[in-house]
Amino acid sequence: MSRRRPGSRQAAGFVPRILVLPAVVALALLLVPLVALVARVQWSSLVADVTSPQALSALGLSLSTGIVATGVCTILGIPLAIVIARSSARTAGLLRALVTVPLVLPPMVGGVALLYLFGRTGWLGGVLADLGIRLPFSTPAVVIAQTFVALPFLVLAVEGSLRATGVGYEQAAAGLGAGRWTILRRITLPLAAPGIVAGVVLCFARAIGEFGATALFAGNAPGVTQTMPLAIYTAFNGAGVTQGTAIALSLLLLFTAVGVLLLVRAWRPTGQGVPS
């Protein structure tokens, strides 16, 4: 007769067996559609589909704008995360709520908001037009839309990492005479490194997968604003790339998402407050 270790049941938890069925249904609801997508891939023409001129154009635009948007999010997001993590509880709660708004906001609404801000009759659009700058329906508009939807992922990841590390080391360094910039460079940022890496990876994945805000604010012009999600949408509406290419691009985005999750998991220490 096999004997269980004394702590095995406590380690496994106490889950009622009746919960297994809805859990399996939920898991199937998440995974079966992805399996159906993979099953529709035409493996014999996969390379040709991904390397077609239209697909390469959408892929190149998604990667280039995603990298730029991630860079902008890193430059702006890390300082914001530090400010939130080191603010009082009330101020941090308010700032965290404001940062979270784009996560719960429908992407289309974000596109409309950007259009009313940077459009010809928007708050900043008229000023920019007088300077000869036109943002809507241009490649920079893609970057702005991606930044708008991806920035919260980086900010929340870094802020959670900073909150988990606490301020003990920083206070000790200050007590030894270290200045603010020295503490930031030698203690704060190194301690937050796992959260920064996870946030950058999540930010990039969200940027290249952005659709709604980009469609409304930047449009869907091939070679100018048509990213991979827009190319996929256009293909299934009977225009642009073929459906075979759209499925191949969808598979590419799926593999990217899986790779992102693996990277985030690899950089996430136990108990780290990083969203995934």
mmCIF file of all heavy atoms in Angstrom, residues 178-210:
data_model
loop_
_atom_site.group_PDB
_atom_site.id
_atom_site.type_symbol
_atom_site.label_atom_id
_atom_site.label_comp_id
_atom_site.label_asym_id
_atom_site.label_seq_id
_atom_site.Cartn_x
_atom_site.Cartn_y
_atom_site.Cartn_z
ATOM 1 N N ALA A 178 24.186 57.749 0.283
ATOM 2 C CA ALA A 178 23.982 57.679 -1.169
ATOM 3 C C ALA A 178 22.940 58.704 -1.599
ATOM 4 O O ALA A 178 21.941 58.935 -0.905
ATOM 5 C CB ALA A 178 23.533 56.279 -1.572
ATOM 6 N N GLY A 179 23.159 59.319 -2.760
ATOM 7 C CA GLY A 179 22.210 60.287 -3.297
ATOM 8 C C GLY A 179 21.055 59.622 -4.005
ATOM 9 O O GLY A 179 21.052 58.403 -4.225
ATOM 10 N N ARG A 180 20.069 60.427 -4.366
ATOM 11 C CA ARG A 180 18.869 59.891 -5.008
ATOM 12 C C ARG A 180 19.187 59.171 -6.319
ATOM 13 O O ARG A 180 18.662 58.089 -6.595
ATOM 14 C CB ARG A 180 17.864 61.011 -5.261
ATOM 15 C CG ARG A 180 17.277 61.623 -3.988
ATOM 16 C CD ARG A 180 16.327 62.756 -4.297
ATOM 17 N NE ARG A 180 15.807 63.363 -3.092
ATOM 18 C CZ ARG A 180 14.668 62.992 -2.491
ATOM 19 N NH1 ARG A 180 13.956 62.017 -3.013
ATOM 20 N NH2 ARG A 180 14.265 63.609 -1.395
ATOM 21 N N TRP A 181 20.029 59.781 -7.160
ATOM 22 C CA TRP A 181 20.346 59.169 -8.449
ATOM 23 C C TRP A 181 21.169 57.900 -8.261
ATOM 24 O O TRP A 181 21.020 56.930 -9.007
ATOM 25 C CB TRP A 181 21.079 60.160 -9.349
ATOM 26 C CG TRP A 181 20.173 61.196 -9.931
ATOM 27 C CD1 TRP A 181 20.053 62.492 -9.553
ATOM 28 C CD2 TRP A 181 19.217 61.003 -10.982
ATOM 29 N NE1 TRP A 181 19.095 63.138 -10.293
ATOM 30 C CE2 TRP A 181 18.565 62.242 -11.189
ATOM 31 C CE3 TRP A 181 18.854 59.911 -11.762
ATOM 32 C CZ2 TRP A 181 17.583 62.416 -12.156
ATOM 33 C CZ3 TRP A 181 17.861 60.081 -12.733
ATOM 34 C CH2 TRP A 181 17.234 61.314 -12.915
ATOM 35 N N THR A 182 22.045 57.893 -7.279
ATOM 36 C CA THR A 182 22.833 56.691 -7.001
ATOM 37 C C THR A 182 21.929 55.553 -6.532
ATOM 38 O O THR A 182 22.080 54.400 -6.968
ATOM 39 C CB THR A 182 23.900 56.986 -5.928
ATOM 40 O OG1 THR A 182 24.758 58.025 -6.388
ATOM 41 C CG2 THR A 182 24.721 55.738 -5.628
ATOM 42 N N ILE A 183 20.983 55.880 -5.670
ATOM 43 C CA ILE A 183 20.036 54.865 -5.194
ATOM 44 C C ILE A 183 19.205 54.327 -6.351
ATOM 45 O O ILE A 183 18.994 53.111 -6.467
ATOM 46 C CB ILE A 183 19.124 55.465 -4.101
ATOM 47 C CG1 ILE A 183 19.952 55.806 -2.864
ATOM 48 C CG2 ILE A 183 17.988 54.503 -3.756
ATOM 49 C CD1 ILE A 183 19.170 56.538 -1.793
ATOM 50 N N LEU A 184 18.757 55.226 -7.230
ATOM 51 C CA LEU A 184 17.960 54.799 -8.373
ATOM 52 C C LEU A 184 18.765 53.865 -9.282
ATOM 53 O O LEU A 184 18.270 52.808 -9.701
ATOM 54 C CB LEU A 184 17.487 56.021 -9.168
ATOM 55 C CG LEU A 184 16.723 55.730 -10.467
ATOM 56 C CD1 LEU A 184 15.382 55.069 -10.160
ATOM 57 C CD2 LEU A 184 16.517 57.019 -11.260
ATOM 58 N N ARG A 185 20.008 54.270 -9.566
ATOM 59 C CA ARG A 185 20.827 53.520 -10.525
ATOM 60 C C ARG A 185 21.370 52.218 -9.955
ATOM 61 O O ARG A 185 21.414 51.201 -10.651
ATOM 62 C CB ARG A 185 21.980 54.414 -10.992
ATOM 63 C CG ARG A 185 22.811 53.807 -12.106
ATOM 64 C CD ARG A 185 23.921 54.733 -12.545
ATOM 65 N NE ARG A 185 24.993 54.822 -11.549
ATOM 66 C CZ ARG A 185 25.184 55.847 -10.741
ATOM 67 N NH1 ARG A 185 24.365 56.895 -10.787
ATOM 68 N NH2 ARG A 185 26.185 55.859 -9.864
ATOM 69 N N ARG A 186 21.752 52.235 -8.669
ATOM 70 C CA ARG A 186 22.443 51.084 -8.097
ATOM 71 C C ARG A 186 21.524 50.134 -7.332
ATOM 72 O O ARG A 186 21.895 48.974 -7.118
ATOM 73 C CB ARG A 186 23.554 51.574 -7.152
ATOM 74 C CG ARG A 186 24.602 52.457 -7.813
ATOM 75 C CD ARG A 186 25.459 51.665 -8.781
ATOM 76 N NE ARG A 186 26.231 50.647 -8.089
ATOM 77 C CZ ARG A 186 27.411 50.864 -7.518
ATOM 78 N NH1 ARG A 186 27.955 52.079 -7.575
ATOM 79 N NH2 ARG A 186 28.058 49.877 -6.918
ATOM 80 N N ILE A 187 20.342 50.601 -6.922
ATOM 81 C CA ILE A 187 19.476 49.762 -6.088
ATOM 82 C C ILE A 187 18.087 49.587 -6.688
ATOM 83 O O ILE A 187 17.651 48.465 -6.950
ATOM 84 C CB ILE A 187 19.369 50.356 -4.659
ATOM 85 C CG1 ILE A 187 20.757 50.361 -4.001
ATOM 86 C CG2 ILE A 187 18.374 49.566 -3.825
ATOM 87 C CD1 ILE A 187 20.780 50.994 -2.654
ATOM 88 N N THR A 188 17.391 50.706 -6.922
ATOM 89 C CA THR A 188 15.991 50.620 -7.343
ATOM 90 C C THR A 188 15.834 49.880 -8.668
ATOM 91 O O THR A 188 15.056 48.911 -8.766
ATOM 92 C CB THR A 188 15.388 52.027 -7.457
ATOM 93 O OG1 THR A 188 15.571 52.732 -6.229
ATOM 94 C CG2 THR A 188 13.904 51.938 -7.777
ATOM 95 N N LEU A 189 16.541 50.324 -9.700
ATOM 96 C CA LEU A 189 16.389 49.705 -11.020
ATOM 97 C C LEU A 189 16.887 48.258 -11.053
ATOM 98 O O LEU A 189 16.210 47.398 -11.641
ATOM 99 C CB LEU A 189 17.098 50.555 -12.081
ATOM 100 C CG LEU A 189 16.467 51.927 -12.340
ATOM 101 C CD1 LEU A 189 17.249 52.686 -13.401
ATOM 102 C CD2 LEU A 189 15.000 51.787 -12.754
ATOM 103 N N PRO A 190 18.036 47.917 -10.447
ATOM 104 C CA PRO A 190 18.438 46.502 -10.441
ATOM 105 C C PRO A 190 17.433 45.597 -9.731
ATOM 106 O O PRO A 190 17.171 44.478 -10.190
ATOM 107 C CB PRO A 190 19.784 46.523 -9.705
ATOM 108 C CG PRO A 190 20.332 47.878 -9.977
ATOM 109 C CD PRO A 190 19.139 48.784 -9.955
ATOM 110 N N LEU A 191 16.859 46.059 -8.619
ATOM 111 C CA LEU A 191 15.864 45.250 -7.925
ATOM 112 C C LEU A 191 14.595 45.074 -8.760
ATOM 113 O O LEU A 191 13.919 44.047 -8.674
ATOM 114 C CB LEU A 191 15.508 45.896 -6.583
ATOM 115 C CG LEU A 191 16.563 45.798 -5.477
ATOM 116 C CD1 LEU A 191 16.116 46.575 -4.247
ATOM 117 C CD2 LEU A 191 16.824 44.344 -5.109
ATOM 118 N N ALA A 192 14.278 46.075 -9.572
ATOM 119 C CA ALA A 192 13.068 46.013 -10.394
ATOM 120 C C ALA A 192 13.314 45.369 -11.754
ATOM 121 O O ALA A 192 12.390 45.299 -12.569
ATOM 122 C CB ALA A 192 12.512 47.420 -10.595
ATOM 123 N N ALA A 193 14.534 44.884 -12.007
ATOM 124 C CA ALA A 193 14.889 44.353 -13.333
ATOM 125 C C ALA A 193 13.938 43.266 -13.830
ATOM 126 O O ALA A 193 13.520 43.286 -14.997
ATOM 127 C CB ALA A 193 16.335 43.859 -13.321
ATOM 128 N N PRO A 194 13.565 42.263 -12.998
ATOM 129 C CA PRO A 194 12.621 41.251 -13.505
ATOM 130 C C PRO A 194 11.296 41.851 -13.957
ATOM 131 O O PRO A 194 10.741 41.452 -14.982
ATOM 132 C CB PRO A 194 12.436 40.318 -12.303
ATOM 133 C CG PRO A 194 13.673 40.497 -11.492
ATOM 134 C CD PRO A 194 14.036 41.937 -11.640
ATOM 135 N N GLY A 195 10.783 42.812 -13.190
ATOM 136 C CA GLY A 195 9.536 43.460 -13.579
ATOM 137 C C GLY A 195 9.693 44.288 -14.826
ATOM 138 O O GLY A 195 8.786 44.349 -15.654
ATOM 139 N N ILE A 196 10.845 44.930 -14.989
ATOM 140 C CA ILE A 196 11.092 45.738 -16.188
ATOM 141 C C ILE A 196 11.125 44.843 -17.422
ATOM 142 O O ILE A 196 10.510 45.150 -18.452
ATOM 143 C CB ILE A 196 12.400 46.530 -16.051
ATOM 144 C CG1 ILE A 196 12.256 47.601 -14.953
ATOM 145 C CG2 ILE A 196 12.788 47.179 -17.366
ATOM 146 C CD1 ILE A 196 13.544 48.335 -14.647
ATOM 147 N N VAL A 197 11.847 43.723 -17.330
ATOM 148 C CA VAL A 197 11.927 42.805 -18.473
ATOM 149 C C VAL A 197 10.551 42.245 -18.807
ATOM 150 O O VAL A 197 10.136 42.212 -19.975
ATOM 151 C CB VAL A 197 12.919 41.666 -18.173
ATOM 152 C CG1 VAL A 197 12.883 40.619 -19.277
ATOM 153 C CG2 VAL A 197 14.332 42.217 -18.027
ATOM 154 N N ALA A 198 9.826 41.802 -17.777
ATOM 155 C CA ALA A 198 8.480 41.267 -18.014
ATOM 156 C C ALA A 198 7.573 42.329 -18.616
ATOM 157 O O ALA A 198 6.805 42.052 -19.547
ATOM 158 C CB ALA A 198 7.894 40.741 -16.704
ATOM 159 N N GLY A 199 7.657 43.557 -18.106
ATOM 160 C CA GLY A 199 6.820 44.633 -18.624
ATOM 161 C C GLY A 199 7.145 44.975 -20.058
ATOM 162 O O GLY A 199 6.234 45.207 -20.866
ATOM 163 N N VAL A 200 8.424 45.011 -20.408
ATOM 164 C CA VAL A 200 8.821 45.312 -21.784
ATOM 165 C C VAL A 200 8.308 44.233 -22.738
ATOM 166 O O VAL A 200 7.785 44.528 -23.825
ATOM 167 C CB VAL A 200 10.352 45.448 -21.882
ATOM 168 C CG1 VAL A 200 10.806 45.451 -23.339
ATOM 169 C CG2 VAL A 200 10.816 46.728 -21.201
ATOM 170 N N VAL A 201 8.437 42.974 -22.337
ATOM 171 C CA VAL A 201 7.986 41.873 -23.196
ATOM 172 C C VAL A 201 6.469 41.918 -23.384
ATOM 173 O O VAL A 201 5.952 41.785 -24.502
ATOM 174 C CB VAL A 201 8.427 40.523 -22.607
ATOM 175 C CG1 VAL A 201 7.837 39.371 -23.415
ATOM 176 C CG2 VAL A 201 9.949 40.411 -22.596
ATOM 177 N N LEU A 202 5.734 42.101 -22.286
ATOM 178 C CA LEU A 202 4.279 42.202 -22.376
ATOM 179 C C LEU A 202 3.856 43.408 -23.206
ATOM 180 O O LEU A 202 2.906 43.343 -23.992
ATOM 181 C CB LEU A 202 3.669 42.289 -20.978
ATOM 182 C CG LEU A 202 3.695 41.021 -20.125
ATOM 183 C CD1 LEU A 202 3.291 41.338 -18.698
ATOM 184 C CD2 LEU A 202 2.779 39.959 -20.716
ATOM 185 N N CYS A 203 4.554 44.504 -23.018
ATOM 186 C CA CYS A 203 4.259 45.732 -23.749
ATOM 187 C C CYS A 203 4.426 45.513 -25.254
ATOM 188 O O CYS A 203 3.579 45.908 -26.055
ATOM 189 C CB CYS A 203 5.167 46.840 -23.247
ATOM 190 S SG CYS A 203 4.947 48.430 -24.066
ATOM 191 N N PHE A 204 5.515 44.881 -25.650
ATOM 192 C CA PHE A 204 5.764 44.638 -27.069
ATOM 193 C C PHE A 204 4.703 43.716 -27.652
ATOM 194 O O PHE A 204 4.188 43.959 -28.756
ATOM 195 C CB PHE A 204 7.152 44.023 -27.249
ATOM 196 C CG PHE A 204 7.456 43.641 -28.672
ATOM 197 C CD1 PHE A 204 7.714 44.613 -29.627
ATOM 198 C CD2 PHE A 204 7.483 42.313 -29.051
ATOM 199 C CE1 PHE A 204 7.983 44.261 -30.946
ATOM 200 C CE2 PHE A 204 7.755 41.956 -30.359
ATOM 201 C CZ PHE A 204 8.011 42.933 -31.306
ATOM 202 N N ALA A 205 4.343 42.664 -26.913
ATOM 203 C CA ALA A 205 3.323 41.740 -27.400
ATOM 204 C C ALA A 205 1.980 42.436 -27.573
ATOM 205 O O ALA A 205 1.264 42.201 -28.560
ATOM 206 C CB ALA A 205 3.181 40.559 -26.441
ATOM 207 N N ARG A 206 1.629 43.289 -26.628
ATOM 208 C CA ARG A 206 0.354 44.013 -26.741
ATOM 209 C C ARG A 206 0.398 45.001 -27.893
ATOM 210 O O ARG A 206 -0.612 45.191 -28.588
ATOM 211 C CB ARG A 206 0.059 44.752 -25.429
ATOM 212 C CG ARG A 206 -1.264 45.511 -25.438
ATOM 213 C CD ARG A 206 -2.421 44.552 -25.588
ATOM 214 N NE ARG A 206 -3.694 45.249 -25.698
ATOM 215 C CZ ARG A 206 -4.239 45.654 -26.845
ATOM 216 N NH1 ARG A 206 -3.598 45.427 -27.983
ATOM 217 N NH2 ARG A 206 -5.406 46.272 -26.842
ATOM 218 N N ALA A 207 1.548 45.613 -28.122
ATOM 219 C CA ALA A 207 1.668 46.608 -29.189
ATOM 220 C C ALA A 207 1.476 45.973 -30.554
ATOM 221 O O ALA A 207 0.732 46.487 -31.397
ATOM 222 C CB ALA A 207 3.021 47.310 -29.107
ATOM 223 N N ILE A 208 2.129 44.841 -30.813
ATOM 224 C CA ILE A 208 2.017 44.237 -32.150
ATOM 225 C C ILE A 208 0.661 43.574 -32.357
ATOM 226 O O ILE A 208 0.273 43.289 -33.488
ATOM 227 C CB ILE A 208 3.143 43.221 -32.409
ATOM 228 C CG1 ILE A 208 3.047 42.033 -31.457
ATOM 229 C CG2 ILE A 208 4.504 43.886 -32.323
ATOM 230 C CD1 ILE A 208 4.046 40.935 -31.773
ATOM 231 N N GLY A 209 -0.070 43.343 -31.265
ATOM 232 C CA GLY A 209 -1.401 42.759 -31.400
ATOM 233 C C GLY A 209 -2.523 43.775 -31.383
ATOM 234 O O GLY A 209 -3.698 43.398 -31.478
ATOM 235 N N GLU A 210 -2.194 45.043 -31.298
ATOM 236 C CA GLU A 210 -3.216 46.097 -31.216
ATOM 237 C C GLU A 210 -4.014 46.194 -32.513
ATOM 238 O O GLU A 210 -3.467 46.151 -33.610
ATOM 239 C CB GLU A 210 -2.554 47.434 -30.895
ATOM 240 C CG GLU A 210 -3.353 48.669 -31.237
ATOM 241 C CD GLU A 210 -4.758 48.675 -30.656
ATOM 242 O OE1 GLU A 210 -4.998 48.010 -29.620
ATOM 243 O OE2 GLU A 210 -5.625 49.327 -31.247
#
